[in-house]
Amino acid sequence: MRLIGAIVALTLVAIGAGALAGLHLFAAAERVADAKKTATPPPLASSYAGSARLRKLSPIVTNLSAPANNWARIEASMVTESMSDEDAGILAAHISEDIVTYLRSATVTQFEGSRGLQHLRDDLTDRANIRSSGKVRELIIETLVIQ
């Protein structure tokens, strides 16, 4: 009988200790959640300071060199220095022509995987930078669909 009484007493002590620990952890979690709600996020640092502008190119659809029945559609934007809208429009048309020329000489296997997409992005950025005499900082590929 003493043994049963001791087990019951220990069980009650364990239940009480567990309940107190649970309440303490719950209160601590609420304090952390409230602190995160009131904290202000740090401002986002832009890698483009000053006069950089994002200009959207019109969608480009063209066929690829191999296999002949594959088509590519690309939507891209370019990050440029400040320039007039007329000059930017002319530059965007020239860059679109360069993208069509590049895609017509490319094959589907060149764009496979993340490495292929990164090479495409780098090649198109280099072409745009050369065409613009350094006025285009980056060419951003928004969508690429190969069918």
Side-chain angles (χ1 to χ4, degrees):
M1 195 57 126
R2 277 176 128 188
L3 182 62
I4 294 176
I7 291 175
V8 169
L10 284 176
T11 303
L12 292 176
V13 169
I15 290 172
L20 287 175
L23 289 174
H24 177 69
L25 289 174
F26 183 73
E30 280 185 339
R31 283 193 305 268
V32 169
D34 289 341
K36 284 185 179 180
K37 285 180 185 176
T38 58
T40 58
L44 297 175
S46 174
S47 60
Y48 304 110
S51 61
R53 285 194 58 195
L54 183 69
R55 299 177 191 273
K56 190 163 181 65
L57 300 176
S58 58
I60 299 166
V61 177
T62 186
N63 58 332
L64 300 174
S65 67
N69 60 350
N70 281 10
W71 288 79
R73 181 177 194 273
I74 190 168
E75 292 181 17
S77 297
M78 60 182 182
V79 179
T80 63
E81 300 292 333
S82 64
M83 60 175 66
S84 69
D85 288 337
E86 183 179 335
D87 291 340
I90 293 170
L91 181 61
H94 286 299
I95 289 173
S96 294
E97 289 175 3
D98 286 345
I99 292 172
V100 168
T101 304
Y102 180 83
L103 289 176
R104 285 193 175 169
S105 66
T107 62
V108 174
T109 57
Q110 288 177 293
F111 308 133
E112 289 180 351
S114 60
R115 181 171 284 167
L117 187 60
Q118 184 64 36
H119 285 301
L120 171 67
R121 183 180 165 276
D122 291 341
D123 288 344
L124 293 180
T125 298
D126 290 343
R127 285 176 173 257
N129 198 356
I130 291 169
R131 171 64 82 169
S132 68
S133 301
K135 292 180 182 174
V136 173
R137 294 183 184 179
E138 184 178 5
L139 190 83
I140 300 169
I141 298 174
E142 295 173 1
T143 61
L144 173 65
V145 178
I146 298 177
Q147 181 178 358

